mmCIF file of all heavy atoms in Angstrom:
data_model
loop_
_atom_site.group_PDB
_atom_site.id
_atom_site.type_symbol
_atom_site.label_atom_id
_atom_site.label_comp_id
_atom_site.label_asym_id
_atom_site.label_seq_id
_atom_site.Cartn_x
_atom_site.Cartn_y
_atom_site.Cartn_z
ATOM 1 N N GLN A 1 -13.480 -10.709 -72.716
ATOM 2 C CA GLN A 1 -13.200 -10.383 -74.110
ATOM 3 C C GLN A 1 -12.687 -8.947 -74.259
ATOM 4 O O GLN A 1 -13.043 -8.222 -75.174
ATOM 5 C CB GLN A 1 -14.458 -10.590 -74.971
ATOM 6 C CG GLN A 1 -14.929 -12.030 -75.038
ATOM 7 C CD GLN A 1 -13.946 -12.930 -75.772
ATOM 8 O OE1 GLN A 1 -13.779 -12.837 -76.989
ATOM 9 N NE2 GLN A 1 -13.272 -13.810 -75.039
ATOM 10 N N ARG A 2 -11.850 -8.533 -73.296
ATOM 11 C CA ARG A 2 -11.241 -7.196 -73.320
ATOM 12 C C ARG A 2 -9.799 -7.304 -72.853
ATOM 13 O O ARG A 2 -9.415 -8.272 -72.177
ATOM 14 C CB ARG A 2 -11.993 -6.229 -72.397
ATOM 15 C CG ARG A 2 -13.450 -5.999 -72.788
ATOM 16 C CD ARG A 2 -14.080 -4.971 -71.853
ATOM 17 N NE ARG A 2 -15.502 -4.814 -72.090
ATOM 18 C CZ ARG A 2 -16.043 -4.055 -73.027
ATOM 19 N NH1 ARG A 2 -15.254 -3.375 -73.841
ATOM 20 N NH2 ARG A 2 -17.353 -3.965 -73.148
ATOM 21 N N ASN A 3 -9.003 -6.301 -73.188
ATOM 22 C CA ASN A 3 -7.627 -6.236 -72.694
ATOM 23 C C ASN A 3 -7.640 -5.815 -71.226
ATOM 24 O O ASN A 3 -8.238 -4.794 -70.867
ATOM 25 C CB ASN A 3 -6.801 -5.252 -73.516
ATOM 26 C CG ASN A 3 -6.553 -5.745 -74.922
ATOM 27 O OD1 ASN A 3 -6.431 -6.947 -75.142
ATOM 28 N ND2 ASN A 3 -6.491 -4.831 -75.882
ATOM 29 N N VAL A 4 -6.970 -6.593 -70.399
ATOM 30 C CA VAL A 4 -7.001 -6.381 -68.952
ATOM 31 C C VAL A 4 -5.572 -6.301 -68.421
ATOM 32 O O VAL A 4 -4.701 -7.072 -68.833
ATOM 33 C CB VAL A 4 -7.756 -7.526 -68.239
ATOM 34 C CG1 VAL A 4 -7.722 -7.329 -66.724
ATOM 35 C CG2 VAL A 4 -9.193 -7.610 -68.727
ATOM 36 N N THR A 5 -5.331 -5.368 -67.513
ATOM 37 C CA THR A 5 -4.031 -5.225 -66.852
ATOM 38 C C THR A 5 -4.218 -5.414 -65.353
ATOM 39 O O THR A 5 -5.116 -4.806 -64.759
ATOM 40 C CB THR A 5 -3.421 -3.840 -67.118
ATOM 41 O OG1 THR A 5 -3.325 -3.636 -68.527
ATOM 42 C CG2 THR A 5 -2.036 -3.730 -66.500
ATOM 43 N N VAL A 6 -3.371 -6.240 -64.759
ATOM 44 C CA VAL A 6 -3.465 -6.531 -63.327
ATOM 45 C C VAL A 6 -2.057 -6.534 -62.737
ATOM 46 O O VAL A 6 -1.122 -7.027 -63.363
ATOM 47 C CB VAL A 6 -4.122 -7.908 -63.053
ATOM 48 C CG1 VAL A 6 -4.433 -8.062 -61.567
ATOM 49 C CG2 VAL A 6 -5.374 -8.096 -63.883
ATOM 50 N N SER A 7 -1.929 -5.974 -61.537
ATOM 51 C CA SER A 7 -0.673 -6.081 -60.795
ATOM 52 C C SER A 7 -0.971 -6.675 -59.424
ATOM 53 O O SER A 7 -2.118 -6.724 -58.992
ATOM 54 C CB SER A 7 -0.010 -4.703 -60.633
ATOM 55 O OG SER A 7 -0.768 -3.885 -59.763
ATOM 56 N N ASP A 8 0.079 -7.137 -58.758
ATOM 57 C CA ASP A 8 -0.111 -7.774 -57.455
ATOM 58 C C ASP A 8 -0.753 -6.837 -56.442
ATOM 59 O O ASP A 8 -1.531 -7.265 -55.591
ATOM 60 C CB ASP A 8 1.237 -8.272 -56.912
ATOM 61 C CG ASP A 8 1.793 -9.421 -57.745
ATOM 62 O OD1 ASP A 8 0.980 -10.132 -58.371
ATOM 63 O OD2 ASP A 8 3.026 -9.595 -57.783
ATOM 64 N N LYS A 9 -0.431 -5.547 -56.525
ATOM 65 C CA LYS A 9 -0.972 -4.601 -55.559
ATOM 66 C C LYS A 9 -2.457 -4.309 -55.778
ATOM 67 O O LYS A 9 -3.095 -3.665 -54.949
ATOM 68 C CB LYS A 9 -0.178 -3.290 -55.607
ATOM 69 C CG LYS A 9 1.219 -3.405 -55.037
ATOM 70 C CD LYS A 9 1.887 -2.054 -54.939
ATOM 71 C CE LYS A 9 3.258 -2.171 -54.294
ATOM 72 N NZ LYS A 9 3.937 -0.852 -54.149
ATOM 73 N N MET A 10 -2.985 -4.765 -56.901
ATOM 74 C CA MET A 10 -4.392 -4.508 -57.198
ATOM 75 C C MET A 10 -5.308 -5.586 -56.623
ATOM 76 O O MET A 10 -6.520 -5.520 -56.749
ATOM 77 C CB MET A 10 -4.584 -4.408 -58.710
ATOM 78 C CG MET A 10 -3.791 -3.264 -59.340
ATOM 79 S SD MET A 10 -3.628 -3.381 -61.141
ATOM 80 C CE MET A 10 -5.239 -2.865 -61.685
ATOM 81 N N CYS A 11 -4.709 -6.644 -56.024
ATOM 82 C CA CYS A 11 -5.491 -7.750 -55.476
ATOM 83 C C CYS A 11 -5.340 -7.811 -53.959
ATOM 84 O O CYS A 11 -4.247 -7.606 -53.429
ATOM 85 C CB CYS A 11 -5.044 -9.071 -56.097
ATOM 86 S SG CYS A 11 -5.352 -9.176 -57.885
ATOM 87 N N GLN A 12 -6.440 -8.108 -53.271
ATOM 88 C CA GLN A 12 -6.454 -8.167 -51.818
ATOM 89 C C GLN A 12 -7.116 -9.445 -51.352
ATOM 90 O O GLN A 12 -8.147 -9.856 -51.879
ATOM 91 C CB GLN A 12 -7.219 -6.982 -51.231
ATOM 92 C CG GLN A 12 -6.693 -5.623 -51.641
ATOM 93 C CD GLN A 12 -7.491 -4.505 -51.020
ATOM 94 O OE1 GLN A 12 -7.625 -4.429 -49.801
ATOM 95 N NE2 GLN A 12 -8.045 -3.635 -51.850
ATOM 96 N N LEU A 13 -6.526 -10.052 -50.321
ATOM 97 C CA LEU A 13 -7.101 -11.226 -49.688
ATOM 98 C C LEU A 13 -7.941 -10.806 -48.495
ATOM 99 O O LEU A 13 -7.758 -9.724 -47.933
ATOM 100 C CB LEU A 13 -5.998 -12.174 -49.216
ATOM 101 C CG LEU A 13 -5.075 -12.767 -50.282
ATOM 102 C CD1 LEU A 13 -3.951 -13.530 -49.611
ATOM 103 C CD2 LEU A 13 -5.840 -13.658 -51.224
ATOM 104 N N SER A 14 -8.826 -11.665 -48.096
ATOM 105 C CA SER A 14 -9.595 -11.416 -46.886
ATOM 106 C C SER A 14 -8.668 -11.510 -45.689
ATOM 107 O O SER A 14 -7.763 -12.348 -45.644
ATOM 108 C CB SER A 14 -10.725 -12.434 -46.747
ATOM 109 O OG SER A 14 -11.348 -12.327 -45.489
ATOM 110 N N THR A 15 -8.860 -10.647 -44.689
ATOM 111 C CA THR A 15 -8.019 -10.678 -43.486
ATOM 112 C C THR A 15 -8.187 -11.993 -42.735
ATOM 113 O O THR A 15 -7.305 -12.399 -41.991
ATOM 114 C CB THR A 15 -8.368 -9.512 -42.553
ATOM 115 O OG1 THR A 15 -9.781 -9.538 -42.275
ATOM 116 C CG2 THR A 15 -8.015 -8.192 -43.185
ATOM 117 N N SER A 16 -9.330 -12.667 -42.924
ATOM 118 C CA SER A 16 -9.540 -13.958 -42.264
ATOM 119 C C SER A 16 -8.628 -15.038 -42.821
ATOM 120 O O SER A 16 -8.440 -16.085 -42.216
ATOM 121 C CB SER A 16 -11.004 -14.398 -42.415
ATOM 122 O OG SER A 16 -11.332 -14.575 -43.790
ATOM 123 N N ASN A 17 -8.053 -14.791 -43.997
ATOM 124 C CA ASN A 17 -7.137 -15.758 -44.595
ATOM 125 C C ASN A 17 -5.692 -15.526 -44.188
ATOM 126 O O ASN A 17 -4.778 -16.087 -44.768
ATOM 127 C CB ASN A 17 -7.243 -15.710 -46.126
ATOM 128 C CG ASN A 17 -8.573 -16.231 -46.609
ATOM 129 O OD1 ASN A 17 -9.167 -17.095 -45.976
ATOM 130 N ND2 ASN A 17 -9.054 -15.705 -47.729
ATOM 131 N N GLY A 18 -5.490 -14.632 -43.204
ATOM 132 C CA GLY A 18 -4.145 -14.409 -42.691
ATOM 133 C C GLY A 18 -3.295 -13.510 -43.543
ATOM 134 O O GLY A 18 -2.073 -13.589 -43.515
ATOM 135 N N SER A 19 -3.903 -12.636 -44.345
ATOM 136 C CA SER A 19 -3.123 -11.750 -45.199
ATOM 137 C C SER A 19 -2.463 -10.632 -44.406
ATOM 138 O O SER A 19 -1.555 -9.982 -44.887
ATOM 139 C CB SER A 19 -4.019 -11.150 -46.294
ATOM 140 O OG SER A 19 -5.071 -10.408 -45.709
ATOM 141 N N ARG A 20 -2.928 -10.396 -43.181
ATOM 142 C CA ARG A 20 -2.343 -9.360 -42.340
ATOM 143 C C ARG A 20 -1.941 -9.967 -41.008
ATOM 144 O O ARG A 20 -2.725 -10.662 -40.363
ATOM 145 C CB ARG A 20 -3.328 -8.216 -42.123
ATOM 146 C CG ARG A 20 -3.689 -7.467 -43.401
ATOM 147 C CD ARG A 20 -4.694 -6.378 -43.134
ATOM 148 N NE ARG A 20 -5.139 -5.755 -44.381
ATOM 149 C CZ ARG A 20 -6.110 -4.860 -44.453
ATOM 150 N NH1 ARG A 20 -6.749 -4.480 -43.363
ATOM 151 N NH2 ARG A 20 -6.461 -4.343 -45.613
ATOM 152 N N THR A 21 -0.737 -9.701 -40.593
ATOM 153 C CA THR A 21 -0.237 -10.199 -39.326
ATOM 154 C C THR A 21 0.340 -9.038 -38.535
ATOM 155 O O THR A 21 0.662 -7.984 -39.089
ATOM 156 C CB THR A 21 0.860 -11.260 -39.548
ATOM 157 O OG1 THR A 21 1.917 -10.677 -40.335
ATOM 158 C CG2 THR A 21 0.294 -12.467 -40.281
ATOM 159 N N ILE A 22 0.475 -9.233 -37.231
ATOM 160 C CA ILE A 22 1.036 -8.204 -36.357
ATOM 161 C C ILE A 22 2.550 -8.360 -36.342
ATOM 162 O O ILE A 22 3.081 -9.379 -35.889
ATOM 163 C CB ILE A 22 0.449 -8.316 -34.941
ATOM 164 C CG1 ILE A 22 -1.054 -8.068 -34.976
ATOM 165 C CG2 ILE A 22 1.130 -7.325 -34.001
ATOM 166 C CD1 ILE A 22 -1.729 -8.176 -33.630
ATOM 167 N N SER A 23 3.233 -7.349 -36.835
ATOM 168 C CA SER A 23 4.696 -7.380 -36.897
ATOM 169 C C SER A 23 5.287 -6.883 -35.581
ATOM 170 O O SER A 23 4.577 -6.384 -34.696
ATOM 171 C CB SER A 23 5.189 -6.502 -38.046
ATOM 172 O OG SER A 23 4.851 -5.143 -37.806
ATOM 173 N N ILE A 24 6.596 -7.024 -35.460
ATOM 174 C CA ILE A 24 7.285 -6.541 -34.255
ATOM 175 C C ILE A 24 7.129 -5.030 -34.127
ATOM 176 O O ILE A 24 6.916 -4.501 -33.034
ATOM 177 C CB ILE A 24 8.779 -6.929 -34.310
ATOM 178 C CG1 ILE A 24 8.925 -8.456 -34.290
ATOM 179 C CG2 ILE A 24 9.547 -6.298 -33.155
ATOM 180 C CD1 ILE A 24 10.356 -8.940 -34.453
ATOM 181 N N GLY A 25 7.232 -4.332 -35.263
ATOM 182 C CA GLY A 25 7.065 -2.877 -35.233
ATOM 183 C C GLY A 25 5.677 -2.467 -34.785
ATOM 184 O O GLY A 25 5.517 -1.513 -34.017
ATOM 185 N N MET A 26 4.654 -3.175 -35.252
ATOM 186 C CA MET A 26 3.282 -2.876 -34.843
ATOM 187 C C MET A 26 3.106 -3.114 -33.352
ATOM 188 O O MET A 26 2.465 -2.325 -32.649
ATOM 189 C CB MET A 26 2.301 -3.732 -35.641
ATOM 190 C CG MET A 26 2.252 -3.392 -37.120
ATOM 191 S SD MET A 26 1.391 -4.627 -38.108
ATOM 192 C CE MET A 26 -0.271 -4.459 -37.477
#
């Protein structure tokens, strides 16, 4: 019951869900 602002960068997934992968640069 309040005004809320959210952006994509404000949300994080668990690393177990594959939100982070090893890139070629890494």
